[in-house]
Structures are given as structure tokens and as C-alpha cells.
């Protein structure tokens, strides 16, 4: 049984990559919940942008938390890199998939993403102790 568990287990050991993995997982989970709420007509489309920012903030916080917890030190640094890579990947996806031009307003969102994830990284380092 242990052999099967070792063969099929995937553990990302790098703190930033594991934080990105968890951030994207929580973003996908939040997007699923938002789409179900939108489908059930419990929410209007005008409210969707606010809830999207909330989902991204929660995903960044959890991603920074995981990266800080995995690193054990320098949580601010690990969380900031997680937020930076998360936001750059989202900008690239929106640029390539949706044919959305990247403007200054999009680039300004990198800073709050890094700040939220770095706060999660600080919390993650402190949760480890």
C-alpha cells in the first residue's frame, strides 16, 4: 500500500510553486461557486466583478499562507513572489485567451496581489511554529 501511495503522490516541494498550486486551486473552486450562484440566479452579473476580486484575494491569501508555511522562513518574500507570479500568470492568460490588451490598470493590480499574498506568507510562517 505504501508503494502505491509513493508512486502516485505528487508533492511540490518548492514553496512558491506549491503556493501557486493552492492559489489556483482556490481560484478554481471560487469560480465554480460563483458560476453556480450566477446560474441559480442568486446573483446579478453586475455584482460579479466585486465577488471575483474577493475570490482572487482569498486565493492569494491561501497561496501565500501555503508558501510561507512550506518555506518556514522569509514568508513575506515567498508570499510576495507567489502573488507576483499569480498575477502575472492571470494577466498572461487574459491576454492570450481572451485577447485582452494589458493596460496600466491591469499592471497596477500586481501590487495588491503581492501584498495580500505576502500577508498570507507571514501568517503561514507563524502557523508553522
Amino acid at each position: 500500500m505504501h508503494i502505491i501511495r509513493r508512486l502516485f503522490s505528487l508533492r511540490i516541494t518548492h514553496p512558491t510553486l506549491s503556493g501557486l498550486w493552492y492559489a489556483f486551486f482556490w481560484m478554481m473552486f471560487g469560480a465554480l461557486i460563483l458560476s453556480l450562484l450566477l446560474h441559480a440566479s442568486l446573483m446579478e452579473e453586475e455584482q460579479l466583478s466585486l465577488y471575483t476580486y474577493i475570490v482572487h484575494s482569498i486565493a492569494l491569501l491561501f497561496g501565500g499562507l501555503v508558501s510561507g508555511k512550506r518555506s518556514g522562513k522569509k514568508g513575506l518574500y515567498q508570499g510576495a513572489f507567489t502573488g507576483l507570479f499569480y498575477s502575472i500568470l492571470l494577466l498572461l492568460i487574459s491576454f492570450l485567451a481572451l485577447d485582452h490588451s494589458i493596460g496600466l490598470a491591469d499592471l497596477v493590480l500586481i501590487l495588491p496581489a503581492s501584498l495580500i499574498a505576502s500577508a498570507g506568507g507571514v501568517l503561514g510562517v507563524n502557523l508553522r511554529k
Side-chain angles (χ1 to χ4, degrees), residues 2 28 56 60 77 79 81 91 94 105 116:
H2 294 290
M28 289 186 290
H56 284 296
L60 282 165
Y77 176 75
F81 271 126
L91 286 176
S94 69
I116 292 169

Side-chain angles (χ1 to χ4, degrees), residues 23-114:
F24 275 102
F25 170 77
W26 284 107
M27 186 226 3
M28 289 186 290
F29 182 71
L32 177 69
I33 297 297
L34 284 179
S35 64
L36 289 175
L37 287 174
L38 192 62
H39 179 69
S41 298
L42 298 174
M43 170 172 36
E44 298 293 324
E45 287 185 19
E46 292 82 25
Q47 300 170 334
L48 194 60
S49 64
L50 171 69
Y51 292 120
T52 304
Y53 285 126
I54 291 171
V55 164
H56 284 296
S57 299
I58 291 170
L60 282 165
L61 188 69
F62 280 124
L65 189 118
V66 168
S67 68
K69 192 172 180 182
R70 292 268 169 98
S71 71
K73 57 186 177 187
K74 297 182 183 178
L76 187 73
Y77 176 75
Q78 292 293 332
F81 271 126
T82 301
L84 179 74
F85 291 140
Y86 179 88
S87 58
I88 288 174
L89 281 172
L90 281 181
L91 286 176
L92 282 174
I93 289 169
S94 69
F95 174 70
L96 294 173
L98 302 174
D99 198 27
H100 176 72
S101 63
I102 298 174
L104 184 63
D106 296 325
L107 294 176
V108 169
L109 291 176
I110 293 174
L111 181 66
S114 295

